[in-house]
Structure formats: structure tokens, C-alpha cells
């Protein structure tokens, strides 16, 4: 709406204010209502959206008042929330875009301009779920790693300048892995693919790689068929080409959407994962549109959407149907949430890493019973958390069942944005606007703290560094107690923690020779130290801390004993890049932590053999030797058969224990090592401060990530750019396509609204019990070869190898309808055992659910579903209501529904009905094989009481009462129109 029209028509136009640069905004503070200053900041964001979008229909003035009266209305009032944008990934986004394309066809049939169909809410669609790993990197150690500082002649890792790939080992100690026998294909063709070249064709010269990549030349990329090396850039390109070939129809459709629809931005393949792109490119923090500035907010169809709350942007995940509704201009309906204030106090222990803090806060919140509520962080401790810390905590929402974990904008956030693609002008606008509407937080004055539903206080000083071991991941040991605990383990009887070492053997020491020098091993001596980042990729601070510790240790004159098997296995090349960019990688290398490859290595026992002298000494003294790693698995004997005590630790602690050479150490009282000059160096002397780590993180990681992403966005994807797509207003559906198909939602669309049709003589398609989840209903995962969907694809002359997944075929309603209720875990009482089968009642035949529904539709018989408690629980899925609709289901009668699913059903024209309190299918003695008739009045009202007539050979005239679960006027409107999609189409017609 233009600004002039807004001033004239808007009920809250008197709240419009102006910033210094002339930009207008709605200022809730001009309400002069003392309640505003006491609202949680997340509720203030919701209130601003309600004020700005108040139109008297979707958002009413009473909704604004309910937000203001949050303290009294929380958990009571139903309120609308119009977010600023929608985030889709390709698997969940394609059904929404297919529906919009089909709606254009429906408008053309009624003589309406198809260009009227566009998302009302700005929509970003990221293509990131299509890539499959057809070509990948070797994840195996090719050469034994000698540990700290050995020379080339002593078996040090190969130089990165070597142009000859190392033999590819199938396991530690084995010989080179040979290509499989038989077959006429060869490696080494153009682009590193399997074509007509030979396996002996050399990979691209390492000299062509950038410096950061040269570090990892000893872990070559492999042809998946012959396990021979091919170059990294060529392999990545080949995987992209495979993605394009496999998903060409879908990608062409997405490209058509990006051109045909307004308000749709498609981020093509090979730019980044949806959560990364959302955080680093799409995040606006504040929008400026139609002369107005307002807060960014988002609903997304990806489970990582909550990460955005760490940047002060309110957002959470929704199902495909909800996202589609928002795209079409409908607000999100929610019960005004309770907001739990999480007050962070105290100072973080210097040895505590970001991962310790994140997991500690997650544990506290998991125990606090905050399911379905908002969490908002405040208190002086918040400023100690970096933005990556905050986004990681926000991403853990599913772990503690919160809807969002919101971190308001503060100085830490502004400092972070200064390292990103935000211009100085944008930063000034952001700061001035947030302060003007009281959405900016400082934590010095407790008088500014909002009123919360409940306050949970967390002392950051309570988070202390832990390790896990010596035999199981769940056995946590505080680092400060490590020495005492290890001695206890030595003495305890053999069990989960004990080794039962005889008292006279506790002080055993065994000398041995290694590389011409004599060393000694004792109980607790470290022989394996592996820094693995696979569990720490989302938060780089711990890897940087390890690198900074290595730098300080080397500069202090410390080293790692050369017999310790050290290694560095980054989870991704990005980790190597930021370690190299920050300048700490050479120091890790000097301590023996060389990059050995990408993938699971030490965690799964892929450790190179220990030096012979070390293994002999352990066996000779029957020693409890130790390994320390930063992975997630370390069961006894897994790292190496003679290493019986293994501990999981953070990456910097792995480096610290490697320098100490033992786990039998009290870091507070005993030195980490002694310099050649005889100076004792303690862990506290070389441990990096949080400020050092955070500064390096912002300067190297954050800025480089943004630069790389911006470069990818600007450069674009050549394959995507060259992809042809139609230049039409209406999508030209290909009748042969098995990926994109025009859905049937608009086939019988009439211009006038028809009154709800009564349901006459319906059969039950399914008779279900309690806790039927969305996983049971909506198709997901691979397509079984014996499923109804497989039969359809086989009829289209596809082989099982070409089936792909339900996720990839969400744009084909024929596949998805056949996959509805196709879960092997579905327990249908008609059948008596789990599986995707049901009873076709008239014939008594047992059929696939789809085949039974199809036969019922041919016979003109309407369908219902009988169910127990909590029908539709679980995470939202886009086909959880679309599938039953296309199967012909008219109503579902259950003891109770998950509230969100209840709304989804109404959005697809399916009536959710609940048994009366105390009644169930069993108490009513229903077999499910009866015929059911439900008379619907023309003026159906909210919560209408209805009667279900039951007809069976044994009982005539039987009936029972149900309640129509229609709780809002919008739900009622949707149901009267036959669903959300027909409603929106009719408003345009």
C-alpha cells in the first residue's frame, strides 16, 4: 500500500513516525501505553506487525489489544501474525509453487488475467536439497601420521607438492585398494567423470589448487565406481551436472517460477544450504518497503529456520500448507504464546568453550518443560555470547521443544553485522529504528527488563569443561576432576569405567625406543590425539580455539612427543580454509596435527597403526593407554585394540592433552610442559581468551563466509544460467513428466461458493488408534519398490534406480497421493498389523490404501477416517492434509487432534470432528465397517455440534454426537470454500 493511501485508510496511521533520514515507521511507543514497555521484545515484534497490517479483516484492532494485553491473554487469545517473508527449500517449496502455477490455469479458465496470481508475501526459495553424493572425497588416512614434528624420512605426511596420488587404503594397514573387476568403463574422462578415459589418467595438478586446498592433497577425490583419484574441482562440477540431469524438470520449473512470479526469489543450486543463505544473505533485520521501515520476520519450511532468532530476527518453522497460506496473504494463526525469560548471569569459565556453553544452556532448557513456548534471553551474561553462539542455541530449539529462542538486537549483533554485507547506511538505519521502537537491548539497567511468563536463571560460571570417558560417551568427567577420576577408574573393578589394575602395578612405567630416543609410558599416557570437527562445524570457535592454543604453545616452546598419533580431520573444507586464513594451521601442523582428510577416520577406528615400540610397551606393561578425540564415538578398543581408555574432549583440550602427553594431570596445579630453558608453562598461560577467539571468528570466519557467499551469488551458476525454461504466464505442463504435474485442487472450481455438502453413506478408509503422527500420514524418504507410488512410476517406464525420493517428487500429486498413508509403521485396525494396507469394505479385499481409495472414488462413495487421541501430532508436513484430500477423505473423526493439523485439514476442505468427551470408537462399539452419514447445515458455525448416523447390518438408526473443530472465522471461511486454495482463487475471480 502506498504511503499516502496508508495514512488515509489505516486505523493506526496516527502512530506513524519519521526517522532523521525521512524514513517512516509505525511507532508503538506513541500508543502511550505503559504495557508496551513491559512486553517481551519478541512480543513487541508481533505487535508491530499486527499494527502495521491491521486491515479489519485478517488483522483486527482487537488483535492489537490482545497483544498489548499479553500478560492476561497469553495462552488464551488466538492472534494473527503476518510475517515479513517466507523461506522455502526446494523439497518443501515445490508443492507451493506448483499450486500457484495451477491457480493461474484456473483463473485463465474463468477469463481472469493469470498475472494476478503472485505471492503477496516476499518468498525466497533455496535449491539446496537436491544434491546427491555421486562423487566424493576419500576419507581415509593414506600414510601413518607420526605425530609431532618428525621429518620426512621418519614417515611424516607427504608434501602437498607431490603430484602422485597416494595409494588408497581400504583400512589401516591394508594394501592399496584395487579397482573392481569387470566392466568396461574407465576413469579419467573429461571433467573427471567415468567415461572412456583410463583409471591411470592423472588428476589435475595440485599446483592448480588454491593454497588452502594444497594442504589436503593427501586425501584425493575418488571416482565412485573405480575408487581412483580425480581432481576436486572436476568432481564437484560432475556432482552438479548429475544434480542437473536428475532434477532437470524441477529446476526448469523453479527457473520459470523465478521469472513468472513477482515476489519470488530463487537461489539456484551450489550457492549454499538454506539456513546458511538465510543467515548470511537473506537476513534483512529491518525491511524498507513502500516508504516504511519495519522489523524482519520469517516463517520457513526448514527445521533450521529458528537459527535466525540469534540475529534478533523472529522466525520459526511451519509446514508447507501454512507457508503457502502466508505466501497468499494469510497471517499465521497462533495462540498468544507464553514467553520464558532466560536470564544469563555470571562470567564464563576461561576454559569453557562455546560448545560447553551451548550444550549447558540446552540441558537447562530441556529440563525446564518449556514445550511450545517462546524463550527470550536477557541479563548481563548475554553480551558474552557471540552471534555464532546465539544462532547455535537458537538452532537447538527442537532439543528443548521451544518455538523460538530469541536474542534481541544489541551491540554484539551490530558488531557482527559490521563484518557482513551491511553498509554503514543500513547499520545506522537499523540502530536508529530499533532504538526508536524500543527493540534494542542493553543489559546494564535491570529496570529495562521486560515482564516474562516465567524466568529461568542460568549461572554461566556453572558451565565447566568436561570430557567423556573412559569407555562410554555418557560418562562425563569435569576436567578439574580428571586426575582423581582416572585414578579411581584404574582401581575400580572392570566395568563401565573400571580397569581393576593391581595396587602394585599402578606406578608401572615402561621404557621404549622411538626414532632413536628413549621415552616412557605409564597408565594414562596419551598415544592417540585426534582433532575432528565433524561435530563442531556449525560453530567454528572451538576449532579456532584449538588453533590459537597451538600457536601460543609453539611460541612458548612446547611440543608434542613424536610417538603420539596426532591428526586433524576437518568436517569440511571450509574448516581448513578458515584455519588457514586465520594463520593458525601452521602451528597445528608443527604440533603434529596435520590435515589427513575429510570424513570419518579416528571415530570409526580408521587410525593408522601405532609405532611398534609404543604398542609393545603398552602390552609389556599391561598399561591403560589413552586416546583423546573431539569426535562423538570412543568405545573401548575402538580407536586401537591396545588403547583401552578413550576420552571425548573439545578440540582445544585435545591439543592440550597431546602437549601434556597424559590424561593423568591436574591442569590447575601441574604444568602443561617445560620449555627447553626449563620454564614451566601451565594451561592457563596458553589458553586463548573468549575475546581473542571471538575477534578471530568475526575477522576471519564471518567476513570470509560473507565474501564467499556474495561471490557465489554474484558469479551465479553457469549450469543454472544456461538452463532453458518457458517464457509464459501459464506453465506448460508436460503430461509425460513424473516430477511436475498439475494438481487436481482446481479442477472443479466454481465461481460461486457452494454450501457445504452433507456426507452420505461414507465408508471408513482407515480405522486408526492413538498417536497417529504426520510421519504415518505424509510420504517421505525413499519410495518402496512394492508401493503404489512405485507401481505408478514403473508404469511410466522408470526403473527403481530412477525412483528418486518422495521429497524430490513432491511436485507430482500422483506420486504423493499414492504415498499418503504408505508408512510401513501405520497400524490400521482393519488389518491388525503395521503396514500401508486397508480393507475395501464392500468387497472385503485387502488393498494398498491408495488402491482402496481409488476404488471408493470410482464407486462414488465418500470417505472418512476414524482415529484415537492426538491425531496428526509431530512435525508439520505439506502433504499431511493434501494427500487425504486427494484420496477423497471428507472428514476425520478422532478423540483429539494436534491443533496445527486441525487447521491444516480445514485448509484443505477436510472437516475435523471430535468425539464427545468420554466417548471413543470402542465405547460406541464401532467396528469401522459401518456406513456413516453426517448432515451439515448451510450455516455451519464455530464449534458446531453435529450428529453422525451409523448404518450397519447389525444396528440401524444408531447415532452419536461429534463437535466440528472450527475455532476461528478464517478456518470457517476456508472450509466453506472447500479449502484455502479455492478461497484465494475465488477472491481473484
Amino acid at each position: 500500500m502506498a504511503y499516502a493511501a496508508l495514512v488515509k485508510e489505516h486505523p493506526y496511521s496516527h502512530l506513524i513516525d519519521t526517522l532523521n533520514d525521512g524514513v517512516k515507521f509505525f511507532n508503538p511507543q506513541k500508543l502511550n501505553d505503559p504495557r508496551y514497555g513491559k512486553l517481551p521484545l519478541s512480543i513487541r515484534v508481533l505487535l508491530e506487525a499486527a499494527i502495521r497490517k491491521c486491515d479489519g479483516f485478517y488483522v483486527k484492532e482487537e488483535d492489537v489489544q490482545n497483544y498489548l494485553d499479553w500478560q492476561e491473554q497469553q495462552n488464551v487469545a488466538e492472534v494473527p501474525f503476518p510475517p515479513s517473508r517466507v523461506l522455502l527449500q526446494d523439497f518443501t517449496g515445490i508443492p507451493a509453487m506448483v499450486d500457484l502455477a495451477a491457480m493461474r490455469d484456473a483463473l485463465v479458465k474463468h477469463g481472469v488475467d493469470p498475472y494476478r496470481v503472485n505471492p503477496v508475501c516476499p518468498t525466497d526459495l533455496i535449491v539446496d536439497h537436491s544434491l546427491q553424493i555421486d562423487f566424493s572425497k576419500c576419507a581415509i588416512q593414506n600414510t601413518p601420521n607420526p605425530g609431532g614434528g618428525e621429518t620426512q624420512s621418519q614417515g611424516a605426511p607427504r608434501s602437498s607438492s607431490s603430484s602422485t596420488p597416494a595409494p588408497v587404503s581400504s583400512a589401516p594397514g591394508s594394501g592399496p585398494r584395487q579397482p573392481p573387476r569387470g566392466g568396461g568403463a574407465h576413469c579419467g574422462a573429461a571433467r573427471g567423470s567415468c567415461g572412456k578415459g583410463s583409471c591411470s589418467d592423472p588428476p589435475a595438478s595440485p599446483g592448480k589448487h588454491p593454497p588452502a586446498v594444497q594442504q589436503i592433497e593427501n586425501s584425493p577425490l575418488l571416482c565412485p565406481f573405480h575408487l581412483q583419484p580425480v581432481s576436486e574441482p572436476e568432481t564437484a562440477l560432475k556432482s552438479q551436472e548429475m544434480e542437473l540431469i536428475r532434477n532437470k524438470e524441477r529446476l526448469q520449473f523453479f527457473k520459470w517460477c523465478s521469472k513468472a512470479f513477482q515476489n519470488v526469489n530463487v537461489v539456484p543450486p551450489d550457492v549454499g544450504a538454506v539456513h546458511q543463505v538465510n543467515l548470511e544473505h537473506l537476513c534483512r533485520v529491518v525491511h524498507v518497503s513502500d516508504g516504511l521501515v519495519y522489523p524482519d520476520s520469517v516463517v520457513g519450511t526448514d527445521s533450521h529456520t529458528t537459527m535466525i532468532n540469534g540475529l534478533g530476527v523472529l522466525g520459526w518453522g511451519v509446514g508447507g500448507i501454512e507457508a503457502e497460506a502466508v505466501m497468499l496473504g494469510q497471517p499465521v494463526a497462533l495462540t498468544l504464546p507464553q514467553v520464558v525469560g532466560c536470564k544469563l548471569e555470571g562470567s564464563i569459565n576461561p576454559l569453557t568453550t562455546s560448545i560447553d556453553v551451548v550444550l549447558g544452556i540446552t540441558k537447562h532448557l530441556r529440563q525446564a518443560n518449556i514445550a511450545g513456548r517462546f524463550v527470550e534471553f536477557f541479563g548481563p551474561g548475554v553480551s558474552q555470547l557471540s552471534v555464532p553462539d546465539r544462532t547455535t542455541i537458537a538452532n537447538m530449539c527442537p532439543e528443548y521443544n521451544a518455538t523460538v529462542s530469541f536474542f534481541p538486537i544489541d551491540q554484539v549483533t551490530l558488531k557482527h553485522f559490521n563484518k557482513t554485507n551491511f553498509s554503514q547506511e543500513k547499520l545506522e538505519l537499523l540502530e536508529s529504528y530499533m532504538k526508536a521502537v524500543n527493540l534494542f537491548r542493553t543489559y546494564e539497567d535491570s529496570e529495562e527488563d521486560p515482564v516474562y511468563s516465567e524466568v529461568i536463571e542460568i549461572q554461566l560460571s556453572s558451565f565447566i569443561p568436561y570430557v567423556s570417558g573412559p569407555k562410554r560417551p555418557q560418562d562425563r568427567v569435569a576436567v578439574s576432576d580428571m586426575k582423581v577420576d582416572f585414578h579411581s577408574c584404574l582401581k575400580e573393578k572392570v566395568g563401565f569405567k573400571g580397569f581393576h589394575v593391581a595396587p602394585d602395578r599402578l606406578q608401572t612405567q615402561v621404557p621404549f625406543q622411538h626414532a632413536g630416543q628413549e621415552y616412557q609410558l605409564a597408565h594414562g599416557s596419551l598415544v592417540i590425539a585426534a582433532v575432528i570437527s565433524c561435530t563442531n562445524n556449525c560453530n567454528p570457535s572451538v576449532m579456532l580455539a584449538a588453533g590459537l592454543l597451538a600457536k601460543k604453545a609453539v611460541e612458548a616452546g612446547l611440543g608434542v612427543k613424536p610417538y603420539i598419533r596426532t591428526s586433524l580431520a576437518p568436517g569440511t573444507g571450509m574448516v581448513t580454509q578458515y584455519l588457514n586464513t586465520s594463520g593458525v594451521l601452521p602451528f597445528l601442523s608443527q604440533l603434529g596435527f596435520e590435515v589427513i582428510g575429510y570424513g570419518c577416520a579416528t571415530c570409526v577406528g580408521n587410525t593408522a597403526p601405532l609405532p611398534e615400540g609404543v604398542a609393545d610397551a603398552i602390552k609389556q606393561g599391561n598399561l591403560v593407554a589413552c586416546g583423546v578425540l573431539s569426535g562423538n564415538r570412543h568405545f573401548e578398543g575402538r580407536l586401537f585394540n591396545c588403547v583401552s581408555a578413550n576420552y571425548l574432549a573439545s578440540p582445544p583440550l585435545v591439543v592440550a592433552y597431546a602437549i601434556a602427553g597424559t590424561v593423568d594431570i591436574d591442569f590447575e596445579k601441574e604444568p602443561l610442559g617445560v620449555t627447553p630453558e626449563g620454564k614451566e608453562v601451565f594451561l592457563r598461560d596458553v589458553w586463548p581468551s573468549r575475546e581473542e577467539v571471538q575477534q578471530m571468528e568475526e575477522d576471519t570466519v564471518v567476513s570470509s563466509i560473507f565474501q564467499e557467499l556474495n561471490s557465489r551469488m554474484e558469479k551465479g551458476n553457469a549450469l543454472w544460467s544456461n538452463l532453458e525454461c518457458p517464457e509464459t504466464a501459464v506453465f506448460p505442463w508436460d503430461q509425460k513428466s513424473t516430477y511436475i504435474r498439475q494438481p487436481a485442487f482446481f479442477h472443479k472450481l466454481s465461481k460461486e461458493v457452494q454450501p457445504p455438502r452433507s456426507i452420505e453413506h461414507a465408508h471408513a478408509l482407515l480405522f486408526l488408534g492413538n498417536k497417529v503422527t504426520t510421519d504415518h500420514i505424509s510420504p517421505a524418504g525413499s519410495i518402496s519398490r512394492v508401493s503404489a507410488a512405485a507401481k505408478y512410476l514403473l508404469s511410466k517406464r522408470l526403473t527403481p534406480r530412477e525412483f528418486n525420493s518422495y521429497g524430490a517428487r513432491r511436485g507430482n500429486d500422483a506420486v504423493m497421493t499414492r504415498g499418503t498413508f504408505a508408512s510401513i509403521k501405520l497400524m490400521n485396525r482393519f488389518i491388525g498389523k503395521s503396514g500401508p494396507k486397508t480393507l475395501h469394505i464392500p468387497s472385503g479385499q485387502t488393498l494398498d490404501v491408495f488402491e482402496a481409495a481409488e476404488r471408493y472414488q470410482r464407486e462414488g462413495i465418500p470417505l472418512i477416517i476414524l482415529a484415537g487421541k492426538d491425531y496428526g501430532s509431530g512435525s508439520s508436513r505439506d502433504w499431511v492434509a493434501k494427500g487425504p484430500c486427494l484420496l477423497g477423505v471428507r472428514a476425520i473423526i478422532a478423540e483429539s487432534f494436534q491443533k496445527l493439523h486441525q487447521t491444516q485439514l480445514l485448509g484443505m476442505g477436510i472437516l475435523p470432528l471430535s468425539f464427545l468427551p468420554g466417548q471413543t470408537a470402542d465405547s460406541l462399539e464401532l467396528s469401522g465397517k459401518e456406513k456413516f452419514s453426517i448432515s451439515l447445515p448451510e450455516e455451519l458455525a464455530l464449534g458446531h455440534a453435529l450428529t453422525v448416523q451409523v448404518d450397519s447390518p447389525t444396528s440401524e438408526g444408531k447415532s452419536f454426537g461429534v463437535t466440528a473443530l472450527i475455532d476461528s472465522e478464517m478456518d470457517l471461511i476456508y472450509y466453506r470454500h472447500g479449502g484455502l486454495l479455492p478461497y484465494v482463487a475465488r477472491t481473484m475471480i
Side-chain angles (χ1 to χ4, degrees):
M1 182 182 293
Y3 174 69
L6 186 65
V7 173
K8 183 178 180 180
E9 301 175 8
H10 203 287
Y12 289 101
S13 59
H14 61 286
L15 301 183
I16 294 178
D17 210 339
T18 308
L19 294 174
N20 292 335
D21 55 4
V23 178
K24 307 292 183 181
F25 66 101
F26 281 96
N27 191 350
Q29 298 211 88
K30 293 181 71 174
L31 289 167
N32 296 318
D33 193 317
R35 293 176 294 178
Y36 179 74
K38 293 297 181 182
L39 291 176
L41 274 72
S42 52
I43 299 298
R44 296 179 202 181
V45 175
L46 297 175
L47 171 63
E48 188 282 337
I51 290 173
R52 177 169 36 87
K53 289 289 189 177
C54 186
D55 59 1
F57 181 64
Y58 292 127
V59 183
K60 303 175 182 178
E61 291 184 57
E62 64 187 74
D63 296 319
V64 173
Q65 291 304 312
N66 281 335
Y67 277 120
L68 278 169
D69 199 25
W70 169 79
Q71 289 190 44
E72 300 298 327
Q73 296 296 327
Q74 57 182 298
N75 239 17
V76 176
E78 293 286 328
V79 290
F81 168 49
S84 301
R85 58 188 175 94
V86 175
L87 180 72
L88 307 173
Q89 42 97 331
D90 50 331
F91 275 14
T92 53
I94 196 166
M97 303 312 300
V98 165
D99 289 345
L100 291 183
M103 191 180 294
R104 284 195 168 185
D105 285 276
L107 262 63
V108 168
K109 292 178 182 177
H110 286 272
V112 180
D113 182 4
Y115 281 111
R116 292 192 61 186
V117 177
N118 289 292
V120 175
C121 187
T123 301
D124 297 298
L125 190 153
I126 293 84
V127 183
D128 74 325
H129 276 52
S130 303
L131 184 63
Q132 293 184 19
I133 304 175
D134 296 290
F135 294 81
S136 62
K137 187 171 299 201
C138 172
I140 304 166
Q141 296 170 271
N142 301 300
T143 309
N145 186 347
E150 289 198 59
T151 65
Q152 180 83 16
S153 62
Q154 294 170 323
R158 291 179 296 113
S159 167
S160 61
S161 62
S162 172
S163 61
T164 305
V168 181
S169 302
S170 58
S174 68
R177 183 182 291 173
Q178 299 299 322
R181 298 175 182 175
H186 300 279
C187 295
R191 302 191 188 282
S193 62
C194 274
K196 295 183 179 180
S198 75
C199 288
S200 60
D201 290 345
S205 170
K208 295 181 181 179
H209 293 307
V213 179
Q214 289 191 26
Q215 301 282 345
I216 55 171
E217 199 59 31
N218 61 341
S219 65
L221 298 160
L222 303 181
C223 159
F225 300 105
H226 300 93
L227 302 176
Q228 293 299 304
V230 291
S231 70
E232 181 174 9
E234 300 297 337
T235 303
L237 184 60
K238 185 62 182 175
S239 290
Q240 293 171 30
E241 290 176 346
M242 290 295 292
E243 176 183 10
L244 181 65
I245 293 168
R246 184 184 296 111
N247 297 283
K248 184 177 181 180
E249 293 178 31
R250 297 169 61 245
L251 295 176
Q252 284 178 320
F253 176 72
F254 284 140
K255 192 164 186 179
W256 174 82
C257 291
S258 69
K259 294 184 176 183
F261 290 111
Q262 298 176 9
N263 275 340
V264 172
N265 170 47
V266 177
V267 178
D270 196 40
V271 170
V274 58
H275 58 280
Q276 175 201 7
V277 175
N278 189 31
L279 285 173
E280 298 156 13
H281 182 75
L282 302 176
C283 171
R284 298 161 174 85
V285 188
V286 292
H287 286 259
V288 179
S289 177
D290 295 326
L292 286 172
V293 59
Y294 52 92
D296 189 11
S297 56
V298 60
V299 291
T301 58
D302 184 80
S303 59
H304 296 289
T305 303
T306 55
M307 291 183 79
I308 204 71
N309 292 277
L311 295 178
V313 176
L314 190 65
W316 62 86
V318 296
I321 295 174
E322 294 79 37
E324 202 166 330
V326 174
M327 290 167 61
L328 294 171
Q330 322 299 310
V332 175
L334 72 157
T335 302
L336 199 56
Q338 292 183 320
V339 182
V340 176
C342 186
K343 187 174 185 178
L344 302 182
E345 295 187 293
S347 298
I348 298 173
N349 185 307
L351 298 185
T352 300
T353 68
S354 292
I355 296 299
D356 295 323
V357 174
V358 168
L359 295 180
I361 290 174
T362 300
K363 180 182 178 181
H364 272 271
L365 294 177
R366 188 188 297 120
Q367 296 170 344
N369 190 25
I370 56 174
R373 297 195 272 180
F374 282 16
V375 175
E376 185 169 301
F377 289 87
F378 73 110
V382 174
S383 58
Q384 298 178 55
L385 302 181
S386 68
V387 166
D389 291 341
R390 299 176 186 195
T391 56
T392 309
I393 293 167
N395 189 46
M396 299 292 278
C397 276
E399 288 291 321
Y400 43 84
N401 292 321
T403 301
V404 299
S405 284
F406 187 71
F407 288 86
I409 299 288
D410 61 7
Q411 287 295 342
V412 173
T413 327
L414 291 181
K415 182 180 177 182
H416 170 80
F417 289 138
N418 193 40
K419 299 290 184 181
T420 67
N421 55 359
F422 276 47
S423 65
Q424 188 61 36
E425 181 183 8
K426 177 68 178 288
L427 281 173
E428 291 173 359
L429 171 66
L430 164 62
E431 184 173 3
S432 59
Y433 170 72
M434 287 295 180
K435 289 181 176 178
V437 295
N438 203 6
L439 284 173
F440 189 88
R441 275 305 324 248
T442 58
Y443 303 105
E444 291 81 11
D445 186 2
S446 60
E447 293 294 321
E448 297 180 8
D449 292 345
V451 174
Y452 293 105
S453 310
E454 176 188 349
V455 172
I456 299 172
E457 293 189 6
I458 298 179
Q459 283 290 336
L460 294 175
S461 58
S462 66
F463 301 143
I464 58 176
Y466 282 91
V467 296
S468 295
K471 299 183 181 183
R472 302 187 305 175
Q474 61 266 42
D475 295 327
R476 301 180 75 205
V477 184
V479 172
S480 57
D481 298 334
M482 181 65 163
K483 186 180 183 76
V484 173
D485 187 82
F486 181 70
H487 285 191
S488 175
C489 291
L490 291 178
K491 298 173 186 176
E492 284 185 22
K493 65 180 181 180
V494 175
F496 290 138
K497 294 195 69 170
F499 297 99
H500 197 58
V501 177
D504 61 337
R505 302 289 299 171
L506 290 174
Q507 304 302 321
T508 299
Q509 293 189 347
V510 180
F512 69 98
Q513 292 285 327
H514 179 76
Q517 294 189 41
E518 184 172 300
Y519 301 91
Q520 286 189 332
L521 290 183
H523 296 298
S525 290
L526 200 72
V527 295
I528 296 174
V531 174
I532 303 162
S533 76
C534 58
T535 54
N536 301 298
N537 284 331
C538 64
N539 193 326
S541 62
V542 287
M543 294 297 289
L544 291 173
L548 276 170
L549 190 150
K551 180 176 183 292
K552 289 172 176 281
V554 169
E555 291 173 345
L558 301 183
V560 174
K561 294 180 176 65
Y563 61 80
I564 297 176
R565 183 70 69 224
T566 50
S567 61
L568 171 59
T572 69
M574 180 187 73
V575 178
T576 304
Q577 181 181 359
Y578 67 65
L579 289 176
N580 197 42
T581 305
S582 61
V584 298
L585 192 60
F587 296 98
L588 286 165
S589 297
Q590 285 187 55
L591 294 181
F593 291 96
E594 296 274 359
V595 176
I596 53 88
Y598 297 83
C600 293
T602 307
C603 279
V604 294
N606 281 358
T607 304
L610 296 177
E612 187 174 340
V614 173
D616 290 343
I618 294 172
K619 295 173 184 176
Q620 178 186 337
N622 198 18
L623 298 175
V624 179
C626 297
V628 179
L629 68 156
S630 61
N632 60 359
R633 290 290 183 273
H634 69 323
F635 300 114
E636 184 177 12
R638 184 169 186 166
L639 306 193
F640 199 73
N641 56 10
C642 66
V643 182
S644 51
N646 298 295
Y647 290 89
L648 300 181
S650 65
L653 281 176
V654 173
V655 176
Y657 278 114
I659 295 171
T662 180
V663 301
D664 186 10
I665 182 173
D666 184 335
F667 285 131
E668 184 63 31
K669 300 176 182 178
E670 301 175 66
L672 193 64
V674 180
T675 68
E677 295 77 23
K679 180 184 176 183
E680 292 185 340
V681 180
F682 288 81
L683 180 59
R684 57 180 172 268
D685 299 327
V686 296
W687 190 272
S689 68
R690 288 183 62 81
E691 291 75 19
E692 287 179 284
V693 174
Q694 290 178 2
Q695 188 64 49
M696 178 174 283
E697 189 173 17
E698 291 287 350
D699 291 344
T700 62
V701 181
V702 173
S703 58
S704 65
I705 286 175
F706 276 90
Q707 291 170 7
E708 180 185 1
L709 184 62
N710 289 338
S711 174
R712 282 173 177 261
M713 294 293 292
E714 292 171 6
K715 182 177 65 176
N717 183 319
L719 299 175
W720 171 265
S721 300
N722 295 330
L723 189 65
E724 295 182 357
C725 73
E727 301 281 347
T728 56
V730 177
F731 187 72
W733 306 98
D734 182 357
Q735 301 303 317
K736 297 179 181 179
S737 174
T738 57
Y739 279 97
I740 307 294
R741 188 173 183 266
Q742 185 178 18
F745 301 128
F746 304 100
H747 285 178
K748 297 180 181 180
L749 180 69
S750 61
K751 187 175 182 180
E752 302 298 330
V753 181
Q754 304 298 321
R757 293 180 296 115
S758 295
I759 301 171
E760 302 289 345
H761 306 298
H763 275 302
L765 177 64
L766 297 162
F767 190 8
L768 305 171
N770 298 331
K771 296 284 185 182
V772 174
T773 70
T774 52
D775 286 340
H776 294 119
I777 305 167
S778 181
S782 59
I783 299 173
S784 168
R785 297 189 179 195
V786 295
S787 64
K791 295 175 186 176
Y792 166 80
L793 294 173
L794 288 170
S795 73
K796 298 294 182 179
R797 298 185 178 181
L798 296 182
T799 66
R801 186 185 180 93
E802 299 169 305
F803 284 176
N804 215 323
S805 64
Y806 282 115
R809 296 190 179 274
R810 278 178 170 163
N812 186 328
D813 64 304
V815 172
M816 299 304 285
T817 305
R818 286 165 171 81
T820 303
F821 295 111
S823 169
I824 59 173
K825 296 181 180 179
L826 181 73
M827 183 60 74
N828 181 7
R829 294 175 63 176
F830 284 149
I831 304 301
K833 61 180 180 180
S834 61
K837 300 286 184 180
T838 195
L839 182 68
H840 179 254
I841 294 169
S843 68
Q845 287 183 280
T846 297
L847 303 171
D848 285 332
V849 174
F850 171 78
E851 292 171 349
E854 188 178 39
R855 184 178 294 188
Y856 280 126
Q857 290 196 37
R858 287 199 303 267
E859 296 165 350
I861 298 174
L863 296 172
I864 67 166
I865 290 173
L866 296 174
K869 297 176 183 176
D870 298 325
Y871 181 83
S873 58
S875 59
S876 182
R877 297 276 184 81
D878 48 1
W879 276 92
V880 77
K882 287 181 176 180
C885 170
L886 293 179
L887 287 174
V889 175
R890 297 278 310 281
I892 298 176
I893 307 175
E895 295 175 48
S896 63
F897 291 81
Q898 188 202 50
K899 180 65 189 300
L900 177 60
H901 184 56
Q902 174 184 312
T903 302
Q904 293 170 333
L905 292 172
L906 290 165
M908 292 309 302
I910 299 174
L911 186 60
L913 303 170
S914 68
F915 291 108
L916 297 181
Q919 293 187 345
T920 66
D922 290 336
S923 70
L924 295 169
E925 298 181 343
L926 298 176
S927 69
K929 299 178 182 180
E930 302 88 351
K931 292 182 179 179
F932 301 86
S933 298
I934 307 168
S935 179
L936 300 179
E938 288 193 13
E939 296 300 324
L940 190 64
L942 303 184
H944 210 116
L946 302 173
T947 300
V948 180
Q949 298 290 334
V950 180
D951 184 14
S952 72
T954 58
S955 61
E956 293 185 10
K958 181 179 178 179
S959 66
F960 60 92
V962 292
T963 302
L965 298 180
I966 306 177
D967 298 333
S968 70
E969 290 293 339
M970 282 310 307
D971 285 345
L972 183 58
I973 290 172
Y974 292 159
Y975 181 70
R976 285 175 176 167
H977 280 264
L980 165 69
L981 297 175
Y983 164 72
V984 173
R986 285 195 184 98
T987 60
M988 295 181 180
I989 293 172

